């Protein structure tokens, strides 16, 4: 006959209302455990991928500081103008890529390719319209954003560098509009670009050299449209994307400026307390 186990080694009886080690949606109160669903597998797969990327890039501290930073009280819709400008730039980049698939930067075929995009390509008129009007929207938004920064005093210490980057972004945005206006190569775009480049040539010291650089010589020629296309599609967008990255980094590092009226109210309260 087997001797009984000591009391310390005996299994404790199950208590009523406990799940007895079972889990799952139906595993509580002693019910049978259910197997993981497809949704559970999908969530687990996404979590494993995110964990794999975070382990190799170490991006979670930066994302945590960027997405979960403190926002001062009193912020309103005026603070969304910067995000709206960035969204307009992304829209311009996506629509520009689709237009570049069919556009030919050649003086003899540029107008025909632009007309073919509008009249023959599927959704070509819609994409071209988004790109055309999106450029105007982006210019308006970036000026409104800079106006908000100026009137709210967000350009002061320690955010002077971010203000300088914003001014450079305005110049690059206007340059994007100038270089893209010539690409349809019709009579209006050609002569408007001639006037704009001649205005640039009248600038002091740098003006004539800048005009010769844009025209690829002293006069408009067959290579001018190629120069404008390269600037519009490659050089200027790369500079804008790099400066936007630096701009967002400084915003996350330095924080957001509170509205000026909140500061005034706080000073008034301090005076009243004194």
């Amino acid at each position: 006959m087997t001797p009984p186990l000591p009391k310390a080694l005996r299994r404790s009886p199950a208590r009523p209302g406990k799940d007895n080690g079972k889990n799952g949606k139906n595993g509580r109160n002693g019910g049978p455990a259910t197997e993981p669903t497809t949704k559970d597998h999908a969530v687990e797969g996404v979590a494993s991928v995110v964990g794999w990327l975070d382990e190799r890039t170490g991006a979670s501290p930066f994302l945590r500081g960027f997405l979960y930073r403190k926002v001062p009280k009193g912020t309103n819709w005026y603070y969304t103008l910067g995000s709206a400008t960035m969204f307009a730039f992304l829209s311009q980049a996506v629509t520009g890529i689709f237009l570049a698939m069919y556009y030919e930067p050649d003086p003899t075929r540029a107008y025909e390719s632009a007309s073919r995009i509008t009249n023959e390509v599927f959704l070509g008129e819609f994409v071209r319209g988004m790109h055309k009007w999106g450029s105007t929207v982006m210019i308006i938004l970036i000026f409104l954003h800079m106006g908000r920064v100026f009137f709210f005093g967000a350009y002061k210490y320690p955010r002077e560098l971010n203000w300088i980057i914003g001014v450079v972004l305005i110049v690059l945005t206007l340059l994007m509009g100038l270089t893209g206006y010539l690409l349809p190569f019709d009579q209006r775009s050609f002569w408007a670009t001639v006037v704009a480049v001649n205005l640039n040539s009248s600038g002091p010291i740098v003006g004539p050299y800048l005009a010769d650089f844009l025209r690829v010589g002293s006069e408009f020629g067959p290579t001018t449209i190629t120069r404008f296309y390269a600037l519009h599609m490659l050089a200027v967008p790369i500079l804008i994307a790099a400066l936007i990255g630096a701009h967002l980094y400084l915003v996350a590092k330095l924080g957001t400026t509170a509205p000026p009226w909140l500061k005034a109210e706080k000073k008034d309260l301090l005076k009243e307390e004194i």
Side-chain angles (χ1 to χ4, degrees), residues 178 180-194 220:
L178 173 64
Y181 196 80
L182 177 66
L183 298 184
F185 216 65
D186 53 6
Q187 290 292 326
R188 181 175 60 180
S189 64
F190 177 80
W191 292 110
T193 306
V194 170
F220 276 80

Side-chain angles (χ1 to χ4, degrees), residues 4-76:
L5 291 174
K7 186 176 182 181
L9 299 179
R10 295 179 187 173
R11 186 175 179 179
S12 59
R15 297 180 181 178
K18 294 291 182 178
D19 58 355
N20 298 328
K22 298 178 181 180
N23 51 19
K25 293 183 178 179
N26 299 325
R28 299 176 182 176
N29 298 328
T34 58
E35 296 182 357
T37 61
T38 305
K39 181 180 179 181
D40 296 333
H41 286 297
V43 172
E44 185 178 356
V46 172
S48 61
V49 171
V50 172
W52 186 87
L53 290 173
D54 180 58
E55 185 178 359
R56 285 153 180 79
T57 60
S60 59
F62 170 77
L63 293 176
R64 191 179 300 111
F66 181 75
L67 298 175
Y68 295 97
R69 63 182 186 274
K70 292 183 178 180
V71 178
K73 294 182 179 180
T75 54
N76 48 37

Side-chain angles (χ1 to χ4, degrees), residues 237-254:
I238 290 174
L239 290 175
I240 290 179
L243 289 177
I244 286 177
H247 190 75
L248 292 176
Y249 169 76
L250 290 176
V251 169
K253 181 178 177 61
L254 301 175

Side-chain angles (χ1 to χ4, degrees), residues 6-7 20 42 71 78 92 101 106 134 139-140 147 150 160 164 171-172 175 183 191 199 210 229 239 247 257:
K7 186 176 182 181
N20 298 328
V71 178
Y78 292 113
Q92 290 298 99
M101 295 179 182
D106 183 83
I139 292 174
I140 293 173
F150 177 78
E160 300 93 336
I164 295 173
V171 176
L172 292 176
L175 182 59
L183 298 184
W191 292 110
L199 288 174
L210 179 60
Y229 182 73
L239 290 175
H247 190 75
T257 307

Side-chain angles (χ1 to χ4, degrees), residues 105-108 110 182 185 190 193-194 197 211-229:
D106 183 83
T108 60
L182 177 66
F185 216 65
F190 177 80
T193 306
V194 170
V197 174
D212 290 344
F213 171 76
L214 293 174
R215 289 189 300 245
V216 198
S218 59
E219 298 292 338
F220 276 80
T223 55
T224 303
I225 190 171
T226 307
R227 175 66 58 86
F228 272 61
Y229 182 73

Side-chain angles (χ1 to χ4, degrees), residues 86-110:
M86 186 178 67
F87 177 79
F89 171 72
L90 294 176
S91 175
Q92 290 298 99
V94 172
T95 54
I97 290 173
F98 283 108
L99 292 175
M101 295 179 182
Y102 300 95
Y103 178 76
E104 299 180 33
D106 183 83
T108 60
R109 297 187 58 81

Side-chain angles (χ1 to χ4, degrees), residues 122-200:
F122 176 70
L123 293 179
E125 185 178 6
F126 174 72
V127 175
R128 188 181 174 190
M130 284 187 61
H131 195 76
K132 175 184 177 181
W133 293 106
S135 62
T136 305
V137 170
M138 182 177 175
I139 292 174
I140 293 173
L141 286 174
I142 196 170
F143 272 100
L144 289 176
H145 176 56
M146 293 295 287
R148 197 279 302 173
V149 172
F150 177 78
F151 287 110
F152 281 30
Y155 60 91
K156 299 178 182 179
Y157 175 86
R159 300 174 178 85
E160 300 93 336
L161 180 59
N162 224 10
W163 172 261
I164 295 173
I165 292 176
V167 173
V168 176
L169 282 172
I170 282 184
V171 176
L172 292 176
T173 303
L174 295 175
L175 182 59
M176 280 282 289
L178 173 64
T179 54
Y181 196 80
L182 177 66
L183 298 184
F185 216 65
D186 53 6
Q187 290 292 326
R188 181 175 60 180
S189 64
F190 177 80
W191 292 110
T193 306
V194 170
V195 173
V197 174
N198 289 337
L199 288 174
N200 290 328

